[in-house]
Amino acid sequence: MASQEVLLAFVQAATQGSFSAAARKLGRSQSTISAAVASLEIDLDLMLFDRSSRKPTLTPAGHVMLQRAEAILAATHRMAMSARQLAQGVEPKLTVAISDTYQSARFEAALVDFEQRYPDLELECLIAECDDLIELVQRGRAHLAFAEMRDSYPPDLVTSTVAEHTDIALFVKRDHVLTGIQGVDQQVLEQHRELRLATIVNPYDSRAKGRVWSAPSYLMLMEMAEMGFGWAALPRWLVGRFGNGSLVELTVRGWPRPVHVDALWSRVYPPGPAGSWLLSKMLE
């Protein structure tokens, strides 16, 4: 197996156009580069360069081997970078839990930078709501969460408010009976089925009046509303992007409601360097 130094000498000789140029690039003597390339040709039993002219040129086999050598060097570089990051305490996997209330241009932009900074780190994104998000962070299942702001949190969590916010409004299917009623209020809403968000860990935390169907996901509630099963409080951005024009927003006093978003992380299972970097980008 050729060493990294031999492969680098070959790649530089091919890309720089001569052994002397490769020697200058690598800070080696020309004889060192020539010997490295010759040893590689012996190991591979291939002629990589045509030396019949003043400047050596790649043979057809040399072009193929150049691609392979560049791939090996790139993989070796990524391996070394990953090893350095792991030695510095960078987590091998980062899990972020996000509420569907939160559609964030800031988060999308941060992911672009994150991918460049930690190209080999595994990123896992989970969708959850309310108490389910808190449970994920408390158990260490998620390193970070971005959730709808609430008045208080368990003492083992740390929180900070994100600058962005969103809106939640009431929606029904276009042909739902509520669309033909003037002056819809809470009493009128209670006469029709509510499609209500219910978390997995605390499904009965708050009881609604009247008929209720529930789900732990806004996307599932939206699909129920699209089928005409009832009315639902849904993030406006979600309906706008995925509602396919099948839902209409009800005009009800007190709605739409602004939703502010908190970043959450655990004191017991704090995020590592990668998670801390992503958090800092989100809180800029």
Side-chain angles (χ1 to χ4, degrees), residues 18-246:
S18 70
F19 294 169
S20 58
R24 290 193 296 272
K25 180 75 173 180
L26 297 175
R28 301 286 192 272
S29 66
Q30 182 173 340
S31 61
T32 300
I33 302 299
S34 299
V37 173
S39 70
L40 182 60
E41 290 177 319
I42 293 171
D43 289 342
L44 298 176
D45 194 22
L46 291 171
M47 289 297 296
L48 302 176
F49 286 96
D50 181 352
R51 298 172 175 79
S52 61
S53 60
R54 187 172 64 87
K55 281 193 174 183
T57 57
L58 282 173
T59 63
H63 281 287
V64 175
M65 290 298 103
L66 175 61
Q67 295 177 5
R68 304 295 186 269
E70 288 175 328
I72 292 172
L73 290 174
T76 302
H77 173 73
R78 290 196 302 271
M79 182 177 180
M81 183 171 65
S82 295
R84 286 196 301 271
Q85 291 177 349
L86 290 170
Q88 293 166 1
V90 173
E91 51 272 56
K93 176 180 179 180
L94 177 64
T95 299
V96 181
I98 306 176
S99 165
D100 261 336
T101 59
Y102 186 42
Q103 193 275 331
S104 170
R106 182 188 298 259
F107 183 68
E108 292 170 358
L111 287 186
V112 174
D113 293 340
F114 183 88
E115 195 274 338
Q116 296 296 318
R117 189 178 184 92
Y118 302 102
D120 294 312
L121 186 150
E122 180 182 352
L123 175 67
E124 178 186 28
C125 291
L126 305 176
I127 299 297
E129 306 296 339
C130 306
D131 290 340
D132 294 342
L133 275 172
I134 290 177
E135 175 85 359
L136 288 171
V137 177
Q138 285 187 302
R139 290 195 291 109
R141 177 63 180 85
H143 301 95
L144 296 174
F146 296 94
E148 181 178 338
M149 180 189 289
R150 55 196 297 170
D151 294 333
S152 63
Y153 294 94
D156 58 324
L157 296 186
V158 188
T159 70
S160 184
T161 302
V162 178
E164 299 166 302
H165 72 278
T166 186
D167 296 306
I168 288 186
L170 303 185
F171 291 91
V172 293
K173 189 178 180 181
R174 285 190 174 277
D175 60 0
H176 193 280
V177 65
L178 282 172
T179 61
I181 299 177
Q182 297 294 322
V184 176
D185 57 18
Q186 189 60 41
Q187 288 185 335
V188 173
L189 289 175
E190 289 173 4
Q191 298 171 19
H192 301 270
R193 181 183 293 115
E194 177 184 1
L195 307 176
R196 187 178 181 85
L197 187 72
T199 60
I200 296 173
V201 295
N202 290 311
Y204 303 112
D205 187 51
S206 60
R207 296 293 293 168
K209 297 179 180 179
R211 293 174 295 161
V212 174
W213 284 10
S214 63
S217 159
Y218 280 114
L219 189 61
M220 294 177 67
L221 293 178
M222 186 179 73
E223 291 175 342
M224 291 178 183
E226 288 176 329
M227 297 179 72
F229 294 137
W231 59 271
L234 299 169
R236 271 177 157 178
W237 80 267
L238 191 71
V239 175
R241 179 173 293 185
F242 301 111
N244 300 315
S246 61

Side-chain angles (χ1 to χ4, degrees), residues 11 27 47 61 68 124-125 251 260 266 284:
V11 169
M47 289 297 296
R68 304 295 186 269
E124 178 186 28
C125 291
T251 302
H260 296 277
S266 170
E284 284 182 349

